[in-house]
Amino acid sequence: MITTWIETGNVAEYQGADWNNWISTQNFPNVEAAQAYAAQNSAISFFFFCSQAMALTNGRSFQPGDAAFFSGQPWLGSAPQCDLYQKQTFATPAFIHDFPQGTAQDNALCLQWNTNIQGFTYQAITGDPWNMLYASNQTAYFDTSVTSLPSSASAVIVTWHAFPNRLSQYLGAGASPANPYKYTAKQLMAVADQYGTSKVPLPPFQQIPTQLCPQATWNDSLHTYGPYGPRGWQDEYCEWSVARDPNTNKITRIDMTCENPEYWNTLWMIDPQKVAALYTSTLNFDAPANAQVQVLASDLYLTDPVSKQAVIDPSTGRPAYNPLNKWNSGPKAVRGANASGGAMHLTSTPNTLQTEMALAGGATIQRPCGNSVPQTLICCAQYGQAYRNSDPHIGQAVNQVVGGQAVGEPCQVALANPTGLYIQVPDLSGFTLPADPKLPPGAKAQDCWQIVRGSATLTDPVTGQPFGAPAESGNFVLHAVFQIPSAWIAAGVQFTVGDILDANGDPIEWGGQVIQQMFVGLWARPLPLSQATATQPCVLPPPSGVTPPPTPQPPNYAQALQLFHSAVWSAYYNTSVPNPMENPISLASNSTMIAPTVRCGQSNVPMSLTCAVTLGAQGQLPTVDLGAGITVSVTGYQDDINYAVPGNSYPSGCGVLNLQVSVAPTAALGLRALTLTNYGQDQQAPMPAMLNILPA
């Protein structure tokens, strides 16, 4: 396996830090030898290597060639005699480097991303031990940062159709069980694009079943179609926006993305100006001059809904990011005058990477219903959303890998590095270009589908071979466009996307005609086990429509959901997001599970914890514990909060605890779990990766 090391020069572990995470010190002829040694020990996450002798005031001394190895995260101190090397277990999606590789900003991004994925991994393994039974300790999902991977551990790809299946299931003709609406294929595409024509007027979203298990039930209660949000219905981890000619209404460009919101939030933490520049270059990719846009960092600021001023994120000291900004909201893009719109990253509330990892973790547990029927398995295991193309199929595929049905032996599994969701290059050979004498020889519709971010192929760092070789292939596309290539326009080609015929011989009137040809995929890494993991019963409490057994009773403990800096939480929660369902939802539903940061020595930092708790008989508040060196005071509680915790398809009720957080100057660095305990109850398992402690 190839190990990536991020170097920081002239530093070592601070002499006043807590050295309890020190593993050993050994002498090597060069840094490469020390790296090779550390790569073989999964407990080592960083080391410093000395080229000169160094003595510390804590009594430790080092000679030239000494390498001191540590777990956890470093607390750096100036040391011109040494250099620090941090192991990067989790690479950025598609191994992308949005800063020049090896620069300080690139290193900072890579390390923050590594921290994020490590935290999501902890959460995927933990599951839900607080209010569900048989949905926790999901250890068949393994942590690649502490697991040695042999070079034979090939990754396998799991793919699904990109066009939203729930539109077809709940609104389309031919669904099973049948719905009362029976929209045609063109009506479904009109809904997906939110664009109607004179022949196909835009039909409305309709009421859909509340009860989905054992199957969708139409003769019981119904509710508003969701997920809510400006692109909420595009819920297969692929979203798109369509630009049209204002004079003819013909499509000129389709932007398609599967980029996760966590990555763009991480990039924003490092450099908002870079985010604005990438928005600009991505939305302008190969576009004609009259369709170019200029995105400003201020366009992307989270603003207070009352004052309209930028909200400062205490994690960075800079304006916070608004993921539903004017350039990344909804299925329509306007170019030219009053330009707006685009699809830069996923915005449907269940379309998050953390959720995808949690789904994979939940799908590893073997269930008594078996794994031959995806709908039966998802109702039993309660991961993801029924009737999507993605969640039931992903869960079934992961469950079959762990159970041994997929690869011939039982396995443990994790998402493969680079962790992400990826568009697969479609086959558009059935599409037809209009006759135009200016077309270059051999021109075809496939040429209009262009990769903007990501890659068609990548080398697997574990096997050293292309991903999928030799049995299968797959792609790592993050953002693609469908448009007339600029070289064709320069040559005098007169037609546009709306003049191209799809495989049915129809002009492309909706982005969905291209999306229907596409797949999205993820890469999983199975590792053989000596024996299959134990089967556990279906998760309790059961979903609506399934009769619960009399015993055992599921737990009912306090559950921590999300931790925010209070200023960010207030702006997110009090910003309402309009949508075609006319069921406004809080912008907090488009936040992420990236742990907020607090620095050593900070005192009385206002924070907000969304949670499910029960107050004591006299209103006693729960207690919050973030571990050694951190003091938490609970100062208040509000119980009427309603939002979709990131990854959920629909809002639900919860509470929010107001906290004051103080961090000791010598507190250990890195991710902290949060333990939430109702008054009078026993302490239960902590929620991992809720806060990230940084040096002062």
Side-chain angles (χ1 to χ4, degrees), residues 163-182:
F163 191 83
N165 186 65
R166 291 173 72 254
L167 288 179
S168 303
Q169 176 65 40
Y170 297 135
L171 303 179
S176 179
N179 63 69
Y181 312 118
K182 298 179 174 57

Side-chain angles (χ1 to χ4, degrees), residues 280-580:
T280 300
S281 61
T282 301
L283 296 177
N284 288 341
F285 180 86
D286 206 35
N290 63 359
Q292 299 276 314
V293 301
Q294 180 63 50
V295 179
L296 305 176
S298 56
D299 294 339
L300 313 179
Y301 289 171
L302 174 67
T303 57
D304 182 272
V306 177
S307 71
K308 308 303 181 185
Q309 299 299 305
V311 175
I312 302 303
D313 182 358
S315 285
T316 63
R318 298 189 297 266
Y321 177 61
N322 178 6
L324 294 183
N325 59 78
K326 64 179 284 189
W327 302 106
N328 188 45
S329 183
K332 300 176 183 178
V334 177
R335 296 296 176 256
N338 301 312
S340 65
M344 286 298 301
H345 62 72
L346 301 174
T347 61
S348 182
T349 57
N351 285 350
T352 75
L353 183 58
Q354 186 269 352
T355 305
E356 187 55 46
M357 296 175 69
L359 186 159
T364 59
I365 298 177
Q366 302 299 291
R367 303 293 180 180
C369 64
N371 49 33
S372 60
V373 181
Q375 173 69 6
T376 302
L377 181 58
I378 200 171
C379 286
C380 176
Q382 295 190 50
Y383 50 73
Q385 180 67 248
Y387 294 110
R388 292 170 83 178
N389 286 322
S390 50
D391 291 359
H393 175 61
I394 295 166
Q396 180 191 40
V398 168
N399 198 265
Q400 289 177 345
V401 167
V402 174
Q405 295 86 4
V407 296
E409 57 184 335
C411 293
Q412 55 184 334
V413 72
L415 296 193
N417 186 37
T419 310
L421 299 146
Y422 300 107
I423 293 171
Q424 304 302 293
V425 177
D427 178 4
L428 301 179
S429 58
F431 283 39
T432 306
L433 298 176
D436 191 311
K438 300 296 186 179
L439 278 172
K444 52 189 181 299
Q446 189 77 43
D447 302 332
C448 300
W449 200 92
Q450 303 165 311
I451 298 174
V452 182
R453 290 171 55 81
S455 176
T457 60
L458 288 176
T459 298
D460 187 340
V462 173
T463 66
Q465 301 295 317
F467 272 93
E472 57 186 331
S473 61
N475 311 122
F476 291 83
V477 179
L478 298 169
H479 191 116
V481 297
F482 191 81
Q483 64 183 355
I484 306 304
S486 60
W488 294 7
I489 297 174
V493 166
Q494 295 297 309
F495 65 84
T496 191
V497 169
D499 299 307
I500 298 173
L501 303 183
D502 68 11
N504 295 318
D506 296 324
I508 298 177
E509 295 183 278
W510 296 281
Q513 289 166 268
V514 175
I515 304 300
Q516 284 182 336
Q517 308 302 311
M518 290 167 41
F519 288 81
V520 181
L522 60 80
W523 291 88
R525 181 90 59 191
L527 283 181
L529 291 171
S530 57
Q531 61 182 22
T533 56
T535 297
Q536 295 191 42
C538 292
V539 173
L540 297 178
S544 176
V546 177
T547 302
T551 58
Q553 292 297 307
N556 184 25
Y557 297 111
Q559 182 177 12
L561 299 173
Q562 258 186 297
L563 185 63
F564 298 83
H565 284 289
S566 292
V568 176
W569 162 254
S570 178
Y572 271 142
Y573 185 68
N574 291 301
T575 299
S576 184
V577 177
N579 55 77

Side-chain angles (χ1 to χ4, degrees), residues 183 187 189-197 200-205 332 580:
Y183 287 179
Q187 285 180 306
M189 285 187 286
V191 171
D193 276 19
Q194 283 297 285
Y195 177 81
T197 68
V200 186
L202 177 62
F205 286 101
K332 300 176 183 178

Side-chain angles (χ1 to χ4, degrees), residues 68-397:
F69 300 101
F70 298 80
S71 62
Q73 295 193 34
W75 185 347
L76 303 182
S78 177
Q81 308 93 330
C82 306
D83 299 318
L84 185 94
Y85 298 85
Q86 289 178 264
K87 186 186 294 183
Q88 185 188 3
T89 302
F90 304 104
T92 50
F95 296 137
I96 199 166
H97 286 274
D98 283 318
F99 298 105
Q101 193 166 354
T103 62
Q105 287 180 309
D106 180 60
N107 288 345
L109 175 67
C110 290
L111 289 172
Q112 179 63 55
W113 184 250
N114 194 75
T115 297
N116 295 344
I117 302 301
Q118 183 69 78
F120 300 160
T121 300
Y122 296 153
Q123 292 166 357
I125 294 171
T126 299
D128 182 358
W130 306 284
N131 55 32
M132 302 184 88
L133 197 59
Y134 311 124
S136 62
N137 196 29
Q138 297 163 166
T139 55
Y141 189 93
F142 68 88
D143 182 354
T144 55
S145 70
V146 295
T147 304
S148 297
L149 300 176
S151 60
S152 59
S154 298
V156 296
I157 191 169
V158 179
T159 62
W160 57 92
H161 284 281
F163 191 83
N165 186 65
R166 291 173 72 254
L167 288 179
S168 303
Q169 176 65 40
Y170 297 135
L171 303 179
S176 179
N179 63 69
Y181 312 118
K182 298 179 174 57
Y183 287 179
T184 67
K186 290 185 177 182
Q187 285 180 306
L188 292 178
M189 285 187 286
V191 171
D193 276 19
Q194 283 297 285
Y195 177 81
T197 68
S198 58
K199 293 183 179 180
V200 186
L202 177 62
F205 286 101
Q206 302 281 4
Q207 296 283 299
I208 64 175
T210 300
Q211 181 177 318
L212 304 181
C213 294
Q215 65 177 12
T217 303
W218 285 93
N219 59 1
D220 206 328
S221 63
L222 305 178
H223 66 90
T224 304
Y225 191 104
Y228 314 138
R231 279 199 302 263
W233 60 94
Q234 295 181 5
D235 60 354
E236 300 287 4
Y237 304 101
C238 178
E239 298 178 20
W240 68 94
S241 70
V242 177
R244 298 175 184 272
D245 185 310
N247 298 314
T248 66
N249 288 328
K250 288 183 178 180
I251 293 178
T252 57
R253 173 173 167 133
I254 307 167
D255 275 270
M256 301 154 282
T257 185
C258 67
E259 295 212 53
N260 63 80
E262 292 93 337
Y263 177 77
W264 284 88
N265 277 267
T266 305
L267 194 62
W268 183 265
M269 293 171 68
I270 307 303
D271 187 350
Q273 296 296 333
K274 170 60 73 171
V275 174
L278 287 170
Y279 262 69
T280 300
S281 61
T282 301
L283 296 177
N284 288 341
F285 180 86
D286 206 35
N290 63 359
Q292 299 276 314
V293 301
Q294 180 63 50
V295 179
L296 305 176
S298 56
D299 294 339
L300 313 179
Y301 289 171
L302 174 67
T303 57
D304 182 272
V306 177
S307 71
K308 308 303 181 185
Q309 299 299 305
V311 175
I312 302 303
D313 182 358
S315 285
T316 63
R318 298 189 297 266
Y321 177 61
N322 178 6
L324 294 183
N325 59 78
K326 64 179 284 189
W327 302 106
N328 188 45
S329 183
K332 300 176 183 178
V334 177
R335 296 296 176 256
N338 301 312
S340 65
M344 286 298 301
H345 62 72
L346 301 174
T347 61
S348 182
T349 57
N351 285 350
T352 75
L353 183 58
Q354 186 269 352
T355 305
E356 187 55 46
M357 296 175 69
L359 186 159
T364 59
I365 298 177
Q366 302 299 291
R367 303 293 180 180
C369 64
N371 49 33
S372 60
V373 181
Q375 173 69 6
T376 302
L377 181 58
I378 200 171
C379 286
C380 176
Q382 295 190 50
Y383 50 73
Q385 180 67 248
Y387 294 110
R388 292 170 83 178
N389 286 322
S390 50
D391 291 359
H393 175 61
I394 295 166
Q396 180 191 40

